[in-house]
Amino acid sequence: MAILKVARLGHPVLRQKAANVDPKEIGTPEFQRFLDDMVDTMREYDGVGLAAPQVHASKQIFVCEVEKNPRYPEAPSVPLTCVINPVLKDLSDKKVPMWEGCLSIPDMRGVVPRHESLICEGLDRKGKPLTLEVSGFFARVIQHEWDHLQGHVYPDRMKDLRTLTFLQEFGRYWVDDEED
Ligand code: NI
């Protein structure tokens, strides 16, 4: 197991379009170890998703998982999912605004409109075809990670940069925290 270094906003790798993975590569021990490392890295930093460019590998791969996440305590569970060479289709016309963060933009949040539902096709970690029909938070995570593979980060998608907020101020001014 290895925790990989996460690229932060400003690193050029986050702005490149990631290359497709050759399906022949998927079964190799090196590739499988890289996927395991991506999962470990996502969990280490309490991410709900991680795209390969965020760990300096410009490849069309992302992982996601939500299980009682301290960064998103209200978020519904998302099973551990790995998608290689993802393609998004049937994106709903309806968009929903919600707060979003990113491990490459630490300690910040912003309100991002995202399609409410979509279909994501690609390959799973065994190289088998995968189709995910998702909505709500899962659809949001997939759009966020897919964006990373195109060289986009969430502030590019914000309609109003005035909601861009440091986490500390987010807790102070933007959420009602009944536990404090
Ligand atoms: Ni991100």
Side-chain angles (χ1 to χ4, degrees), residues 61-81:
I61 310 164
F62 70 77
V63 294
C64 55
E65 180 184 44
V66 184
E67 191 66 50
K68 292 196 191 76
N69 190 294
R71 286 175 68 241
Y72 298 91
E74 306 297 320
S77 294
V78 171
L80 178 61
T81 306

Side-chain angles (χ1 to χ4, degrees), residues 54 101-104 144-145 148:
Q54 291 185 274
C102 179
L103 295 181
S104 294
H144 178 116
E145 301 313 328
H148 276 301

Side-chain angles (χ1 to χ4, degrees), residues 98-153:
M98 198 184 136
W99 290 96
E100 227 169 86
C102 179
L103 295 181
S104 294
I105 310 172
D107 301 324
M108 297 204 84
R109 287 284 161 88
V111 172
V112 186
R114 296 287 188 187
H115 299 279
E116 190 183 37
S117 63
L118 59 93
I119 292 174
C120 175
E121 293 179 342
L123 301 174
D124 70 12
R125 67 173 298 162
K126 290 176 176 163
K128 296 218 174 75
L130 170 83
T131 302
L132 298 166
E133 206 172 329
V134 293
S135 61
F137 194 70
F138 199 171
R140 172 172 298 275
V141 173
I142 285 180
Q143 288 168 81
H144 178 116
E145 301 313 328
W146 184 85
D147 265 357
H148 276 301
L149 305 182
Q150 321 309 313
H152 295 306
V153 290

